[in-house]
Amino acid sequence: MDASLTPEQDEIRRTLRELLHSRCGPRELRAAVDTPTGHDPALWTALAEQLGLPGLALPESYGGVGCSATELALACEEMGRVLAPSPLLPTAVLAAPLIAALGTEAQRAEVLPRLAAGTLTATLAVPGAALTTALALTGTGRGEWAGGGRAGGVQARGAGGDWRLYGQVDQVLDGHSAGLLVVAAHTGGFARSRTLLFLVAGDAAGVVRVRQTALDATRSQGRIQLRDVEGRLLGAEDGRDVLAALASAGGTAAAALACEAVGAADRALERTVEYVRQREQFGRPIGSFQAVKHRLADVYVAVQAARSAAYYAAWAGPHGERVGGLALAQALEALRIASAEGIQLHGGIGFTWEHEAHLYFKRAAGDELLFGPVHRLRAHAADTARLFDAQEVAV
């Protein structure tokens, strides 16, 4: 692995950072999360038209840029630095790879160019709080998370080639505003249950969507109710490739989320360092005290270690190595440490609603609830590697 970034990757990061610096400051961020969609549509249009961000990792034949998941992860790092609320994660990281991997040629030709252009947003809806299990990050990903044919989650019933969906899905990223829903549903009853993915238009008859109040306001979530809704089957009906595609998408998503968390942790550390250089106590900046230096040094080491792990996961994914879960665990832990230390070292101002420090702490806590927790990510990685299997010990 060559750890240095290519000139193209450096250019993507530089251009995106400049755009976000001018269009997504603290004031713009707070205004965006209060909109009905939970993000700034004008900023999303700029990201799509000027940088091609939604189609960064999509093939050029479908209107994408043709880069790899590595470039998409680096873009997520810059988005994470400013906590930019946008449909990038559910659209480009979760939904688009599944449509590209499982969709028929007609489905890909219809949907992917619109996703790449930013004119259509999408999201992945899985039952309950089983997103990381479905993506094979904290579970086996064998389909038990979909209910195994039992009541609950989303049920799909086929009749004459048509599919009707009914059920409810909570905690769907951008579920209240996405134009296209990729819904995981179980079919076939208890004995012959299988998990399939369906394409459902966000404004289809029978779809009821409500934005939920989330701990992290910069990561919009919605509750989706499907009341006898028409769905289009994504890919083949046998469903043999669904779980494998979800696991593959999970590795890419973990690397992107890890880079995003690293960007947020790095910015939280930068803001804290800036503050301790200015705040004075006993006639000197508090950053000059040895205890403060040690605490910030520990945060710096955690952030740099997480960045190394995240970059390696972004590089290793396209090469067939699944280390995204471990990288995500390390990045979430680094973000939690950096944001918590930031609040502590900001003193009284760090607890106020007007300051941005609490937004980074809420991103850390919210991401761990959605994509973790850290100990489960590590436990599943250890189980997958058979790290603690009983072995004979030579005496």
Side-chain angles (χ1 to χ4, degrees):
M1 171 187 174
D2 184 0
S4 60
L5 300 181
T6 65
E8 292 78 10
Q9 291 170 341
D10 274 328
E11 182 64 17
I12 291 173
R13 294 182 62 184
R14 183 191 64 79
T15 306
L16 181 55
R17 184 173 296 191
E18 290 177 356
L19 177 61
L20 293 174
H21 179 73
S22 62
R23 300 287 296 269
C24 194
R27 182 177 300 177
E28 292 82 0
L29 170 62
R30 292 177 183 272
V33 298
D34 289 334
T35 61
T37 59
H39 67 271
D40 181 5
L43 175 61
W44 177 246
T45 300
L47 293 172
E49 294 181 352
Q50 298 180 26
L51 302 178
L53 207 59
L56 194 61
L58 289 176
E60 295 182 50
S61 57
Y62 295 111
V65 179
C67 294
S68 69
T70 303
E71 284 75 20
L72 182 59
L74 293 174
C76 287
E77 180 182 1
E78 295 305 316
M79 299 288 283
R81 284 181 60 86
V82 295
L83 303 180
S86 80
L88 181 65
L89 176 63
T91 298
V93 178
L94 294 177
L98 291 171
I99 296 171
L102 296 174
T104 63
E105 180 55 37
Q107 289 173 334
R108 292 196 294 265
E110 175 193 354
V111 175
L112 292 182
R114 297 168 63 196
L115 294 181
T119 58
L120 176 67
T121 59
T123 189
L124 172 64
V126 299
L131 180 59
T132 54
T133 304
L135 297 175
L137 295 176
T138 58
T140 60
R142 294 175 182 171
E144 295 90 344
W145 49 269
R150 299 172 177 85
V154 179
Q155 309 280 335
R157 181 180 67 255
D162 296 328
W163 291 91
R164 311 298 296 187
L165 280 66
Y166 55 97
Q168 178 173 305
V169 188
D170 298 313
Q171 294 181 293
V172 181
L173 297 175
D174 278 353
H176 64 293
S177 62
L180 180 67
L181 309 175
V182 181
V183 181
H186 43 76
T187 67
F190 179 78
R192 302 175 58 189
S193 176
R194 53 197 171 142
T195 302
L196 299 175
L197 296 180
F198 298 87
L199 299 178
V200 177
D203 57 355
V207 176
V208 179
R209 305 191 289 178
V210 179
R211 184 177 179 181
Q212 293 181 295
T213 300
L215 173 64
D216 176 15
T218 66
R219 185 91 78 190
S220 298
Q221 301 175 38
R223 174 187 296 115
I224 300 173
Q225 292 181 344
L226 304 170
R227 302 174 180 177
D228 196 30
V229 175
E230 180 182 359
R232 289 186 296 161
L233 181 65
L234 181 63
E237 188 172 335
D238 54 27
R240 289 177 297 178
D241 300 326
V242 169
L243 299 182
L246 283 167
S248 178
T252 302
L257 285 164
C259 286
E260 187 185 72
V262 165
D266 187 52
R267 183 56 184 151
L269 175 60
E270 285 181 4
R271 292 177 61 89
T272 305
V273 171
E274 292 170 1
Y275 183 75
V276 299
R277 285 174 173 172
Q278 299 171 4
R279 179 187 171 192
E280 292 189 357
Q281 190 68 278
F282 306 111
R284 55 189 290 193
I286 64 171
S288 63
F289 294 114
Q290 196 75 5
V292 174
K293 291 180 180 180
H294 284 173
R295 292 173 69 170
L296 291 177
D298 289 340
V299 175
Y300 176 80
V301 171
V303 172
Q304 292 304 317
R307 173 176 280 115
S308 297
Y311 282 7
Y312 181 78
W315 172 86
H319 293 80
E321 188 176 354
R322 288 186 55 83
V323 293
L326 282 176
L328 179 57
Q330 191 156 354
L332 290 178
E333 189 172 58
L335 177 55
R336 185 180 66 222
I337 294 171
S339 59
E341 289 288 358
I343 289 178
Q344 288 290 324
L345 293 176
H346 271 84
I349 194 175
F351 290 86
T352 63
W353 184 257
E354 293 76 15
H355 202 273
E356 286 74 46
H358 71 94
L359 295 177
Y360 287 88
F361 186 81
K362 289 177 179 177
R363 170 59 67 90
D367 274 9
E368 194 161 354
L369 289 173
L370 278 173
F371 308 112
V374 168
H375 71 270
R376 287 191 60 194
L377 290 166
R378 287 175 170 156
H380 179 63
D383 291 341
T384 302
R386 305 174 65 88
L387 191 61
F388 299 114
D389 281 6
Q391 297 180 358
E392 294 184 4
V393 179
V395 292

